[in-house]
Amino acid sequence: QVQLVESGGGLVQTGDSLRLSCAASGSTFSSYAMGWFRQAPGKEREFVAAVSWSGGSTFYADSVKGRFTISRDNAQHTVYLQMNSLKPEDTAVYYCAAADLVRTRETDYDYWGQGTQVTVSS
C-alpha cells in the first residue's frame, strides 16, 4: 500500500511557474507508475501527466504538453510536476496517484493523495 501527500500548490499569476511534489510512503514506491490529475470547480477530474516506474516514459495531456514536466526520484520516494507558463485555466486541485502500470485513466489508479490547490490569477 502507498500513502501519498501532495505539496507545493499556491496562488500565482499568469505566466508564473510552480513545482508540485508528491511524497510517498512505503518501500514499494519505485514499483508504481505515478500520475497527476486535476479537478477544476464544477468539472470532472482529468488526467494531466504520468510517469513510468523507472521514469523512462512520460505522458501528458495535450493541454499541458510543452509547459508541464513530470519526473520522479525513487530514492526520495517523490514525484514532481513542474508547471511553467501557467494559465488561469490551470486552476484546479491537483492530485497525485499511483498505479501498477502507467495509465491515463483515473480508474486505473489505486492510490490517491488528498490534493493541493493551484490558483492562477489573470
Side-chain angles (χ1 to χ4, degrees):
Q1 200 166 16
V2 178
Q3 292 185 327
L4 305 172
V5 179
E6 303 95 333
S7 62
L11 173 62
V12 297
Q13 296 185 338
T14 298
D16 284 351
S17 297
L18 270 179
R19 188 176 80 157
L20 304 183
S21 300
C22 174
S25 64
S27 59
T28 58
F29 171 76
S30 61
S31 66
Y32 286 98
M34 298 298 296
W36 285 97
F37 291 76
R38 67 186 181 186
Q39 187 168 22
K43 296 187 177 181
E44 294 186 350
R45 190 154 54 184
E46 64 175 3
F47 170 76
V48 174
V51 61
S52 62
W53 66 270
S54 68
S57 297
T58 56
F59 301 87
Y60 297 94
D62 288 343
S63 59
V64 306
K65 203 171 293 184
R67 298 188 299 123
F68 290 11
T69 302
I70 189 171
S71 62
R72 66 189 297 160
D73 184 337
N74 285 340
Q76 296 296 322
H77 288 198
T78 303
V79 62
Y80 304 99
L81 186 68
Q82 177 67 44
M83 306 186 295
N84 299 331
S85 303
L86 283 162
K87 306 175 182 179
E89 50 263 44
D90 295 318
T91 295
V93 177
Y94 284 71
Y95 300 88
C96 70
D100 289 341
L101 296 172
V102 63
R103 292 283 187 263
T104 62
R105 294 188 310 178
E106 178 181 354
T107 53
D108 289 324
Y109 285 78
D110 300 311
Y111 304 103
W112 292 83
Q114 83 290 348
T116 185
Q117 176 70 47
V118 172
T119 303
V120 185
S121 65
S122 57

